[in-house]
Amino acid sequence: MNKELDNLLRLLQIEKEEDLEQYKKLIESQPLQERKEKGYTWYPVHVVKKGYTIGDRAFVILEKGGSEEEEHHFRSGKTVRLFSQLPAAEGGERSGVIHYVDKNKMKVILNSRELPEWIGLGQVGVDILFDDRTYVEMEKALKQVMEAKNGRLAELKAVLMGKQAPSFRGKENGVEGGGLNDSQNEAINEILAARDVAVVHGPPGTGKTTTVVQAVKLLSREEPSILVTAPSNTAVDLLTERLVKEGLNVVRIGNISRVDEDIVSHSLEVMVTRHPDAKNIKNIKKQAAEARRRAGRYKRKFGREEYLKRRELYQEANELSDWANRLEDQLIDRILDEAQVITCTLVGAAHKVLDRRTYRTVFIDEAAQALEPASWIPILKASRVVLAGDPFQLPPTVKSIKAEKEGFNVTLIEKCLKRIERTSMLKVQYRMNEQIMGFSNQQFYGGLLQADDTVKAHRLEIVDNEPFVFIDTAGCGFDEKLQPTYRSRYNPDEFQILCEHLYQLVEEYRELELAFPEIAIISPYREQVMYMKSEVEEDTILNELPLIIQTIDGFQGQEKDVVYISLVRSNGKGEVGFLNDYRRMNVALTRARKKLVVVGDSATIGSSEFYQDFLEYCDKNGSYRTAWDYMRT
C-alpha cells in the first residue's frame, strides 16, 4: 500500500514545483502594472475596516476603486501579500489569507496579531502569493496515512486502497419515502449501514447534495457531531446553507465564498464575535494591543529605566494575549461541542480548532474534484467515510503535465468505484429533458439514468422547441484563431452563427410576449468567452437578456433553461485540444434544462470516436442543422 502512497507523495512534490514555477513566471516576475492588468494584484486599495479575529490575528477589509466587474484571480482561501509603496514604510509587507471577496471588497486575515502602521497611509496594494500551506497539509496527511500500522486509520487505509472489503450492517430498518426516490433512499441506507466506507455516485441533476444532506440529518440523531467537507469554499457554503435549512446547528470553519447572512452567521468567526462573552475577550485584546503600542514607543537608544518599562509593557501584553486566547479557546470549544455539523474544506479540516477532534462519520462531497492527498486530510479524523461525487465530470485541476500523465488527477472516489464492489448510484435526474440527457447517459452512465416525469418532456414554450440542436459549421471556412499572448483559441465566425440562432429565439419570445428563459453561453476556451462577452456588451438585443457567458469549467455545478455551447475548434488537422477531455464535454452537455444548442465543426471534431458517436446521436435524436441555414444573405 505504501508503494502507491510513496508515488502519490512524489507526484505531489512534482505538482508543487510546477505550481511554484508558474507562480514565479506569471506573478512574481511581473511589474506592478502587468500584475494589475492580469488580475493578480489590487492596487491601490484603502482600508474600510480593521480589527482582530479568533486566534489572536488581525484582519483588514480592503476596497479598490474601478469596476467591480473586472476579472481577477482573488478567491477565498488564497494566500496574499499586503504591501506599501510608500518609501517611508519600513518592512512594508504582511502576508495573510483571504477570508472572502465581495465585489470590490476583500477581507484578509493577517498572519500576525498586529496591523502594520502603514496600512492606513495610502499606496497600499495586495498581491496573490504562492500558497505552500495546502501542499504542507497534504504532505503531512499522506505521511500520517503511510505511518498508520494499526488503529482505525490503518483499517480505513486498507479498505480505501482495496486491500480489504468494507463491512456493512444489516438494513432491517432502512429509510423509505421522505420525498426521495428509490435510488436516493438506497444510497442513504448504504451510508447508514456502512461500517467503514460508503460511496455515492451522483450523475448531473440526480440530487447528490440532497441525498448527502438527508443522510447527515438522519445521522445527526445518533451521532454527537458530523464533519462535512468538500474541495472548494463554494461547495462548502452550499452544503452549509442546505444543512441549516434542515434545522441543524451548523458551524462553518474557515474561509467563505459568499457573504450572505445565511452563511456568515454560521461561520465560527461570527459565532464567536456575536457570543455574549466576546465583548470581554475583545477588550482584553485591545488592552494587549495598546500595551504593545506603548512598548514600541521606546526606541533602541534608551536607558535602564526605559528598558525595564518596555520589558514590563511587553510582558503585560503577552499575559493579556494569553488570557484572551484561553478565554477564546474555551468559547470555541463550547461552540464546537454544541454543533451538530461542522463544515469546512478538505484542507480546512486541518484547522487548529479541529486538532484533537474526531468524528464517527466524515462526508467528502464533490469527491471527484478533490486531489487524493487532500481527501486524506479529513479522513484522518474519521471512523467512517462517505465519498460522494461523479468522476465523469471535471477532475481536479493539475498544473503539472508530468504529474497528470502519471495519474495525479485520479481521485480517491474513482479508485473506490473500481476497488469497492458495493457502491450506490443515483439514477433519477431532475434537470434535463430526456433528449438532452440521452447522449451522456449512453456514453458515461451505461444507460442507467432516467429522466423524472417532471422534466423528461419539458421544452420551451415556442414553436422552435426542439430540446437538442447541433449546428454544423463544416465547410463554412470558420477557422479558429489563436490569441498569441495567452495561447487560447477563439472563433468569431462560429459565434456569429450562434447569435443568429439566439436572435431567432428572442424574436419568437417577443412575438408571443413571453418572459425570456434563463440563458447561458459556454465554451471550453477562455479567449472565446472573453470575445463573446465583449461582443454581447455591444449588442443592443443580447445585452438586455437574462444571459451569462462562462467557460465550461466555471459553469460546472450550474444549470439554465437554455444553454449554448461554442466548441471553437475548426482546422484542417482535426485537432480538438481541450475537447479531448470528454468529462469537460459531459459537464457542458448536462447543464441545460429545456434546450441545448451546440455549435461546432463536424469535420474537425469527427476525427474522434467520441465525437463520431455524438454526431450520430445528434442525427438520430436531436435536430441536426447546418450553419448555412443561419447565414444572412
Side-chain angles (χ1 to χ4, degrees), residues 204 429-437 455 458 467-468 518 520 522 555 558-565 586-598:
Q429 67 85 13
Y430 297 88
R431 176 185 299 163
M432 297 163 273
N433 177 288
E434 199 167 31
Q435 282 179 244
I436 297 172
M437 174 193 78
V455 301
H458 68 175
F468 192 1
E518 294 180 331
I522 60 177
F555 198 59
Q558 300 181 62
E559 59 186 76
K560 295 293 179 186
D561 295 321
V562 182
V563 173
Y564 286 84
I565 306 173
N586 184 40
V587 170
L589 294 171
T590 54
R591 303 299 103 195
R593 300 184 194 114
K594 298 180 180 180
K595 191 176 187 72
L596 174 66
V597 181
V598 183

Side-chain angles (χ1 to χ4, degrees), residues 591-633:
R591 303 299 103 195
R593 300 184 194 114
K594 298 180 180 180
K595 191 176 187 72
L596 174 66
V597 181
V598 183
V599 188
D601 182 346
S602 65
T604 298
I605 66 173
S607 58
S608 153
E609 184 179 342
F610 173 85
Y611 288 105
Q612 272 292 344
D613 291 343
F614 171 73
L615 294 169
E616 286 177 18
Y617 180 85
C618 294
D619 194 35
K620 291 178 183 176
N621 302 283
S623 178
Y624 192 104
R625 299 177 189 174
T626 174
W628 296 101
D629 297 337
Y630 299 93
M631 288 194 190
R632 296 188 180 186
T633 55

Side-chain angles (χ1 to χ4, degrees), residues 26 132 142 236 245 291 333 368 383 466 504 575:
L26 287 172
D132 69 345
L142 280 179
V236 176
K245 285 180 179 176
D333 282 340
S383 179
E466 285 289 338
Q504 292 181 16
E575 294 177 347

Side-chain angles (χ1 to χ4, degrees), residues 164-235:
Q164 179 180 314
S167 62
F168 294 82
R169 301 183 189 87
K171 294 187 185 180
E172 299 85 3
N173 299 314
V175 297
E176 292 182 6
L180 302 180
N181 62 51
D182 289 345
S183 65
Q184 289 172 325
N185 281 322
E186 286 170 12
I188 290 175
N189 286 327
E190 286 290 276
I191 291 169
L192 297 178
R195 295 181 187 274
D196 313 293
V197 177
V199 181
V200 180
H201 181 191
T206 54
K208 172 181 60 63
T209 302
T210 297
T211 305
V212 167
V213 166
Q214 291 306 313
V216 172
K217 186 177 180 181
L218 283 169
L219 286 171
S220 70
R221 298 172 184 172
E222 56 189 62
E223 298 180 20
S225 190
I226 300 162
L227 183 62
V228 178
T229 68
S232 70
N233 284 302
T234 303

Side-chain angles (χ1 to χ4, degrees), residues 356-602:
R356 307 184 308 277
R357 288 182 178 268
T358 57
Y359 300 87
R360 171 72 186 94
T361 307
V362 168
F363 283 79
I364 302 178
D365 195 18
E366 304 295 356
Q369 294 176 46
L371 290 170
E372 182 179 343
S375 295
W376 284 105
I377 297 172
I379 293 172
L380 299 178
K381 299 179 177 298
S383 179
R384 167 172 58 185
V385 181
V386 180
L387 298 166
D390 179 15
F392 298 118
Q393 295 187 64
L394 283 171
T397 300
V398 174
K399 297 184 178 181
S400 165
I401 295 171
K402 176 179 172 61
E404 184 174 16
K405 283 182 177 177
E406 295 189 34
F408 193 57
N409 64 339
V410 179
T411 60
L412 190 58
I413 191 173
E414 284 181 80
K415 293 178 179 179
C416 286
L417 283 167
K418 293 175 181 176
R419 292 168 174 170
I420 296 175
E421 187 174 335
R422 187 167 165 177
T423 62
S424 305
M425 179 176 172
L426 306 180
K427 296 173 184 173
V428 182
Q429 67 85 13
Y430 297 88
R431 176 185 299 163
M432 297 163 273
N433 177 288
E434 199 167 31
Q435 282 179 244
I436 297 172
M437 174 193 78
F439 177 70
S440 287
N441 192 20
Q442 73 181 28
Q443 283 287 322
F444 298 100
Y445 306 111
L448 296 174
L449 281 186
Q450 306 159 26
D452 187 71
D453 288 342
T454 58
V455 301
K456 67 187 299 182
H458 68 175
R459 301 169 181 240
L460 297 179
E461 313 92 322
I462 57 175
V463 175
D464 180 17
N465 65 1
E466 285 289 338
F468 192 1
V469 177
F470 177 72
I471 302 174
D472 192 356
T473 65
C476 296
F478 294 169
D479 291 347
E480 66 198 51
K481 301 182 186 302
L482 179 66
Q483 206 283 346
T485 303
Y486 299 107
R487 311 297 296 172
S488 184
R489 313 272 170 172
Y490 65 110
N491 195 321
D493 296 321
E494 181 179 281
F495 181 58
Q496 291 311 309
I497 295 299
L498 187 156
C499 285
E500 291 299 327
H501 186 281
L502 185 49
Y503 291 146
Q504 292 181 16
L505 195 71
V506 171
E507 190 176 338
E508 283 201 60
Y509 268 89
R510 283 181 173 167
E511 286 179 359
L512 295 169
E513 297 182 347
L514 295 170
F516 289 117
E518 294 180 331
I519 304 167
I521 304 176
I522 60 177
S523 175
Y525 289 93
R526 181 180 180 274
E527 194 59 34
Q528 181 76 343
V529 168
M530 299 299 290
Y531 173 79
M532 294 189 298
K533 282 183 175 180
S534 66
E535 290 293 300
V536 167
E537 282 176 9
E538 303 296 322
D539 192 305
T540 55
I541 297 174
L542 301 184
N543 66 14
E544 294 182 0
L545 295 178
L547 170 68
I548 67 166
I549 303 172
Q550 278 188 305
T551 60
I552 293 170
D553 297 44
F555 198 59
Q556 176 160 281
Q558 300 181 62
E559 59 186 76
K560 295 293 179 186
D561 295 321
V562 182
V563 173
Y564 286 84
I565 306 173
S566 173
L567 298 182
V568 175
R569 300 310 297 259
S570 180
N571 56 73
K573 297 179 181 179
E575 294 177 347
V576 295
F578 275 156
L579 301 182
N580 253 330
D581 188 340
Y582 305 141
R583 289 177 293 188
R584 179 174 279 107
M585 197 60 185
N586 184 40
V587 170
L589 294 171
T590 54
R591 303 299 103 195
R593 300 184 194 114
K594 298 180 180 180
K595 191 176 187 72
L596 174 66
V597 181
V598 183
V599 188
D601 182 346
S602 65

Side-chain angles (χ1 to χ4, degrees), residues 73-93:
H73 299 276
F74 292 95
R75 303 288 183 272
S76 55
K78 282 201 176 268
T79 301
V80 293
R81 174 182 74 104
L82 271 65
F83 63 89
S84 171
Q85 291 287 89
L86 286 173
E90 184 181 351
E93 64 177 57

